Amino acid sequence: MTPAETDDGSGPGGGGITKRMLIGGVLVEKDRTFESVNPATGEVLGHAPDGDVADVEAAIAAARKAFDESGWATDKALRARCLGQLHSALTEHVEELRELTIADVGATRMLTHGNQLDAPIEIVRYYADLLPEVPLTEELDDVEIRGEMHRRWVEKEAAGVVSAIVAYNYPNQLALAKLAPALAAGCTVVLKAAPDTPLVTLALGELIAEHTDIPAGVVNVVSSSSVEAGKLMTTHPDVDVITFTGSTPVGKQIMAAASDSLKRVFLELGGKSALIVLDDADLATAAMFAAFTICSHAGQGCALTTRLVVPRAAHDQVVEMVGGMLDRVTLGDPSDMTTYMGPLISERQRDKVDGMVKRAVEAGARLVRGGKRVDPGFFYTPTLLADVDPDSEIAQEEVFGPVLAVIPHDGDDHAVEIANNSRYGLSGGVLTADEERGIAIGRRIRTGTFSINGGNYFTPDMPFGGYKESGIGRELGMPGLEEFLELKAFAVKVSS
């Protein structure tokens, strides 16, 4: 990887880290750039090329040509080999990517050893190993129709050109969870970096260009601040599939835009997940689990359990215990291995979080901890709200910040009702001394993922996605590969 780091004001944008787009196998610089800000300091970290409509057009054209004219879609062995090369390149450059992820995303060093970097790299390994074992042809029994025999089979083939659009919160995870299965399926890809965290995604494109045999045009990586350039990725006639991770409102816009040409659309959207504490659960464990979960990546995770649903009789005790746990959360420099919680991504996001907390208090919630800005950077203290109305804004809308809403319940049925009282359905969890009771609760919750007593479902072989307004389709696992495959049915009359 060529980091293109300069401190003397040279290069596009002048100073800091500069990265290049990957279009048609060529690493592309632009005179016009936009800033990427380190959220822990508020200072400019570097500059990304500000791609325009013409750049996106070129990227889509390159992906189309590579799909239609190269052997990528049909050469399974090449795809497996190239995925193995990509895994090796990511592994060899992991420490460079780690430092860039900490600075560009505001992710803590601790998190980069998990879902921010190390775990996503293993997604590539998973699909590289899975691909040779996946049968792409299924033979069906011969049948007799009108006195003649017919042989029948089904083939799985690549769906085509993929527009992959990622969010800022876990850019490595989101990019690789789309890119690896799409490439394994034989698709070609245009990957658009999130404007808040462009540098780490562009670095991925540089690695692909410089350290793999992936043919030119198979992977294209663009960055842009242009709304029109982004829209083109969802409407262009040469795009066959759209995979998007981000907010539910934007997901709805993308789905509407794609409907004109009936593109396949996969959406991983927002969440307002509930952690249910049953009356037999250990309250100290529940308090610790709830507190440290909500502070993971400063609450910027769509699957985090942001509603804590507790027995009414234990409400005040749990609130006190969670508050004590939040007092122990280390907030500060994300590059420090001892820091547990880093900053929010931007001042804009911090304003949003602070506004929602203030409105929650005005609506009757009790502010127990937090609710304060910390400068420099975009830090916000871990925040605990008690006595929350389950129908209020703070209990219904995604905050995307370190804000936990505690809601009392009056038994299992009421807890399930509260958890399901949401337009979202991404995740959730239950804590109980009785595992079977917890599983029974989980089967009643309308979500795509569910954790019993801290069970971790987030691995490369497990499908991830949501019900209701949390999305359409699944990432990871075999279902994640199938999202990028089309089925073609064949039949041939058997000669007598």
Side-chain angles (χ1 to χ4, degrees):
M1 178 170 59
T2 304
E5 296 184 3
T6 61
D7 295 314
D8 58 0
S10 62
I17 300 170
T18 62
K19 293 292 177 186
R20 295 162 290 177
M21 297 187 292
L22 175 60
I23 300 176
V26 177
L27 291 171
V28 178
E29 295 182 350
K30 297 279 287 186
D31 290 334
R32 180 177 174 181
T33 64
F34 63 95
E35 295 176 344
S36 182
V37 174
N38 183 331
T41 64
E43 298 175 352
V44 174
L45 172 67
H47 297 80
D50 198 358
D52 54 22
V53 167
D55 293 311
V56 173
E57 286 268 14
I60 294 172
R64 183 81 262 167
K65 181 177 181 181
F67 185 80
D68 293 341
E69 300 179 13
S70 79
W72 180 257
T74 56
D75 194 336
K76 191 177 179 182
L78 173 64
R79 301 200 302 270
R81 178 167 62 84
C82 288
L83 283 169
Q85 291 173 343
L86 177 56
H87 178 265
S88 295
L90 290 166
T91 301
E92 290 168 8
H93 294 271
V94 67
E95 294 309 320
E96 297 167 51
L97 291 171
R98 192 180 316 283
E99 298 307 319
L100 185 55
T101 300
I102 291 167
D104 199 28
V105 184
T108 61
R109 186 172 299 279
M110 186 187 305
L111 270 182
T112 66
H113 288 279
N115 289 344
Q116 280 286 3
L117 181 59
D118 289 2
I121 289 174
E122 292 314 302
I123 296 172
V124 182
R125 179 78 270 161
Y126 168 76
Y127 283 107
D129 292 342
L130 177 68
L131 182 55
E133 302 173 4
V134 175
L136 297 179
T137 301
E138 179 186 2
E139 291 283 345
L140 304 179
D141 292 337
D142 290 357
V143 296
E144 182 181 347
I145 301 174
R146 297 175 183 172
E148 296 179 307
M149 295 302 295
H150 298 260
R151 177 192 165 210
R152 303 166 304 140
W153 72 97
V154 176
E155 294 184 3
K156 298 177 180 179
E157 60 185 36
V161 175
V162 175
S163 276
I165 305 169
V166 301
Y168 64 76
N169 56 331
Y170 284 82
N172 296 309
Q173 164 70 35
L174 301 177
L176 294 175
K178 299 177 189 304
L179 191 62
L183 295 180
C187 294
T188 58
V189 182
V190 179
L191 173 64
K192 183 178 181 295
D196 283 314
T197 55
L199 301 180
V200 70
T201 304
L202 293 171
L204 175 61
E206 291 185 349
L207 282 177
I208 289 169
E210 297 173 344
H211 297 280
T212 77
D213 295 328
I214 295 174
V218 168
V219 178
N220 306 271
V221 184
V222 299
S223 56
S224 177
S225 65
S226 165
V227 173
E228 292 306 313
K231 284 183 178 179
L232 187 62
M233 291 188 64
T234 67
T235 59
H236 197 288
D238 282 340
V239 170
D240 301 295
V241 181
I242 301 168
T243 173
F244 168 78
T245 298
S247 72
T248 294
V250 175
K252 290 179 179 180
Q253 293 172 12
I254 287 173
M255 194 170 185
S259 67
D260 188 55
S261 54
L262 293 180
K263 300 183 191 303
R264 297 180 70 175
V265 178
F266 307 118
L267 303 173
E268 201 276 283
L269 307 176
K272 194 66 185 180
S273 304
L275 175 62
I276 297 172
V277 179
L278 299 185
D279 54 16
D280 62 351
D282 179 79
L283 297 185
T285 300
M288 180 178 66
F289 189 84
F292 283 89
T293 295
I294 197 60
C295 294
S296 177
H297 195 34
Q300 298 170 115
C302 53
L304 297 179
T305 45
T306 58
R307 293 180 293 159
L308 180 60
V309 183
V310 303
R312 191 174 300 276
H315 175 275
D316 291 350
Q317 182 182 0
V318 171
V319 167
E320 182 179 355
M321 296 171 80
V322 172
M325 290 293 177
L326 291 179
D327 291 340
R328 297 168 59 183
V329 172
T330 52
L331 173 71
D333 179 5
S335 67
D336 188 334
M337 193 63 183
T338 65
T339 296
Y340 186 81
M341 188 178 115
L344 293 169
I345 191 62
S346 65
E347 188 65 28
R348 178 184 67 255
Q349 181 61 20
R350 186 164 68 168
D351 286 343
K352 177 200 169 187
V353 172
D354 191 50
M356 291 187 73
V357 170
K358 285 181 167 58
R359 290 194 299 276
V361 173
E362 291 170 359
R366 175 163 53 95
L367 180 62
V368 180
R369 289 290 194 285
K372 297 178 181 177
R373 302 167 185 260
V374 177
D375 297 318
F378 310 126
F379 294 91
Y380 197 77
T381 53
T383 300
L384 178 62
L385 295 166
D387 302 309
V388 171
D389 181 341
D391 294 321
S392 64
E393 179 194 42
I394 202 69
Q396 291 292 319
E397 299 300 326
E398 188 173 44
V399 180
F400 234 55
V403 180
L404 182 65
V406 184
I407 303 170
H409 74 76
D410 298 311
D412 291 13
D413 290 346
H414 189 217
V416 169
E417 178 186 339
I418 292 170
N420 284 333
N421 177 27
S422 174
R423 63 191 176 103
Y424 297 109
L426 186 55
S427 189
V430 65
L431 298 174
T432 175
D434 184 341
E435 183 177 295
E436 290 304 314
R437 184 182 177 192
I439 293 172
I441 290 286
R443 288 178 175 146
R444 298 172 65 188
I445 306 300
R446 298 281 296 166
T447 62
T449 55
F450 198 81
S451 170
I452 296 97
N453 291 331
N456 186 356
Y457 51 77
F458 210 72
T459 54
D461 58 343
M462 283 282 280
F464 178 79
Y467 290 20
K468 300 187 281 187
E469 293 192 21
S470 284
I472 297 173
R474 294 293 183 269
E475 290 186 335
L476 304 179
M478 187 61 196
L481 176 63
E482 290 174 341
E483 297 285 18
F484 298 101
L485 292 170
E486 290 279 14
L487 298 180
K488 181 177 288 183
F490 286 88
V492 60
K493 187 168 68 175
V494 178
S495 302
S496 57

